[in-house]
Amino acid sequence: MPETNETLKGEVRAFWDKSSCGEIYAQGEEPRSYYESHARTRYALEPVIPLFARFGEARDKDVLEIGVGMGADHIELAKAGPRGLTGVDLTPRAIEHVTRRLQVYGLNSRLQVADAEHLPFADESFDFVYSWGVLHHSPDTPQAIREVWRILRPGGKTRVMIYHKYSLVGYMLWLRYALMRGRPGRSLAEIYAQHLESPGTKAYSMAEARRMFGQFSQVEMRAELGFGDLLEGGVGQRHRGPLLSLAKRLWPRWFFKRFMKGHGLGLLVEAVK
Ligand SMILES: C[S@@+](CC[C@H](N)C(=O)[O-])C[C@H]1O[C@@H](n2cnc3c(N)ncnc32)[C@H](O)[C@@H]1O
C-alpha cells in the first residue's frame, strides 16, 4: 500500500525526535557550554549559514523560523532584536532544546510544535521567514512553500535552504547504494529518500525549486558546497566504513571547490513575496 503523507510525516517526526539535528556536536553537561559547543562546531562547519541568513536583518521585524532544531540560528535571530520572534518544529524534542537554550541567554520567542505544511498563523503575519535544512524533509514540500508565501506580508522576505539534487553528496550516495550494489538504475530521488537523514528526504534541481517558488515576485538561488560534499568534520556517521575513511583522506577538495562549485547539497533560496 502506498505510504500516505501523514504516515510518512509520522516517520519524519519519529526520526528527528530521537535526536535533533547536530546533537552529536554538543559537548558537556552544563547547558551553556553544551549549547555553545554546538554553535561553535555548527558555524565552523557551515560558515555560509550566517552569511546567507543575515540574522541582523531580523531587527524590528516579525520573524518566524520553521524547523528550529537545536536552536543555534534561533538564538542569533533572537539576539538581533526582532519585534516578535516565533519558532516552530515538528518535534517536541526540538522545542524543549530551544526553550532551554533561550533561557540560558535570557532571550524570548514564541515556540510551538507545528507542521510547516499547516502553519497555525494568519495570512500576512510575518516580515521574514527563515528555514535551514527543513522543508525537504516534509512530505509535501510545495505545500510548505505555499504556506511560507501565505503567512508573509507583501514585500516580506524568506531565506530557505533546501537540498539540491545535483550534489556531491548525492553522487557519493548513488555510488555507494546504487552502483556498488549492482543497481545503477536507482534514481537520485530514491537514494535521497532512503539514505539521507529522515525517510522520504527530497532534493531539487534549480528548475524544480524555481517552480516551487513561482508565486514569489523575486527569487534568487544558488547551490553551495557544504561540509557533507567536502567530506569534512564528522560527516557520514551513518555510512561509516573503510571506503568512506579512504575517501575522506583522498578527497580532492581543491578540485571540487574550483570546478564543481555548483554541485553542493545546499540550495540557498532568497525570495520576496
Ligand atoms: C535537519 S534538521 C534542521 C534543524 C535546524 N534548522 C538546523 O539547521 O539545525 C530538520 C528539522 O526539521 C524539522 N521538520 C521536519 N519536517 C517538518 C515539518 N513538516 N514542520 C516543521 N518542522 C519539520 C525536524 O523536526 C527537524 O528538527
Side-chain angles (χ1 to χ4, degrees):
M1 214 171 75
E3 201 166 34
T4 66
N5 179 316
E6 288 311 308
T7 317
L8 180 56
K9 202 173 291 165
E11 291 172 26
V12 173
R13 182 184 294 109
F15 181 95
W16 293 112
D17 218 25
K18 247 191 248 145
S19 176
S20 293
C21 192
E23 277 186 26
I24 55 160
Y25 299 129
Q27 314 256 303
E29 295 288 305
E30 192 269 318
R32 182 177 280 263
S33 52
Y34 177 84
Y35 287 117
E36 280 180 358
S37 63
H38 170 255
R40 247 192 330 272
T41 308
R42 175 181 179 81
Y43 297 130
L45 282 173
E46 302 189 86
V48 68
I49 294 177
L51 296 174
F52 169 66
R54 284 181 256 156
F55 296 115
E57 289 183 15
R59 186 168 188 82
D60 296 330
K61 299 205 169 80
D62 288 317
V63 176
L64 169 68
E65 181 177 358
I66 304 176
V68 289
M70 282 189 73
D73 298 352
H74 208 64
I75 294 291
E76 297 306 312
L77 290 167
K79 281 185 193 161
R83 181 166 47 220
L85 179 60
T86 306
V88 299
D89 198 284
L90 197 56
T91 65
R93 188 182 187 100
I95 298 304
E96 282 158 26
H97 265 304
V98 187
T99 303
R100 218 173 309 134
R101 197 167 188 152
L102 286 161
Q103 274 165 5
V104 166
Y105 295 92
L107 295 165
N108 291 307
S109 173
R110 285 179 295 269
L111 295 171
Q112 69 183 97
V113 172
D115 176 5
E117 293 177 27
H118 308 281
L119 290 170
F121 308 115
D123 296 356
E124 304 186 359
S125 35
F126 295 96
D127 306 300
F128 178 45
V129 175
Y130 172 71
S131 185
W132 182 269
V134 174
L135 303 184
H136 47 240
H137 294 304
S138 210
D140 191 346
T141 303
Q143 167 61 17
I145 293 170
R146 284 193 290 277
E147 280 291 86
V148 172
W149 187 89
R150 179 183 69 76
I151 59 162
L152 270 175
R153 297 190 175 118
K157 187 175 275 183
T158 185
R159 294 200 180 104
V160 166
M161 186 278 273
I162 52 175
Y163 285 157
H164 178 223
K165 190 187 279 179
Y166 300 110
S167 74
L168 295 179
V169 165
Y171 308 149
M172 282 187 272
L173 293 175
W174 182 84
L175 271 176
R176 169 99 193 245
Y177 295 103
L179 196 65
M180 288 172 62
R181 289 188 176 176
R183 297 177 61 195
R186 290 189 87 189
S187 66
L188 275 175
E190 196 183 333
I191 295 292
Y192 285 118
Q194 292 180 18
H195 301 286
L196 184 68
E197 303 177 330
S198 52
T201 296
K202 290 164 272 97
Y204 296 93
S205 67
M206 294 251 190
E208 288 165 341
R210 282 210 179 274
R211 277 198 290 281
M212 289 195 296
F213 283 87
Q215 272 182 297
F216 289 80
S217 64
Q218 289 172 41
V219 183
E220 282 173 31
M221 60 180 74
R222 68 176 199 275
E224 185 86 25
L225 289 175
F227 70 107
D229 302 293
L230 296 172
L231 292 182
E232 288 170 338
V235 73
Q237 306 281 334
R238 189 171 155 188
H239 316 280
R240 254 187 304 225
L243 200 66
L244 180 64
S245 312
L246 187 69
K248 277 189 178 181
R249 281 220 305 278
L250 301 179
W251 211 233
R253 295 178 178 87
W254 68 268
F255 176 87
F256 296 132
K257 285 184 191 166
R258 180 123 186 232
F259 297 110
M260 294 189 76
K261 267 213 304 256
H263 293 253
L265 183 63
L267 187 54
L268 313 188
V269 183
E270 180 171 308
V272 177
K273 178 166 174 178

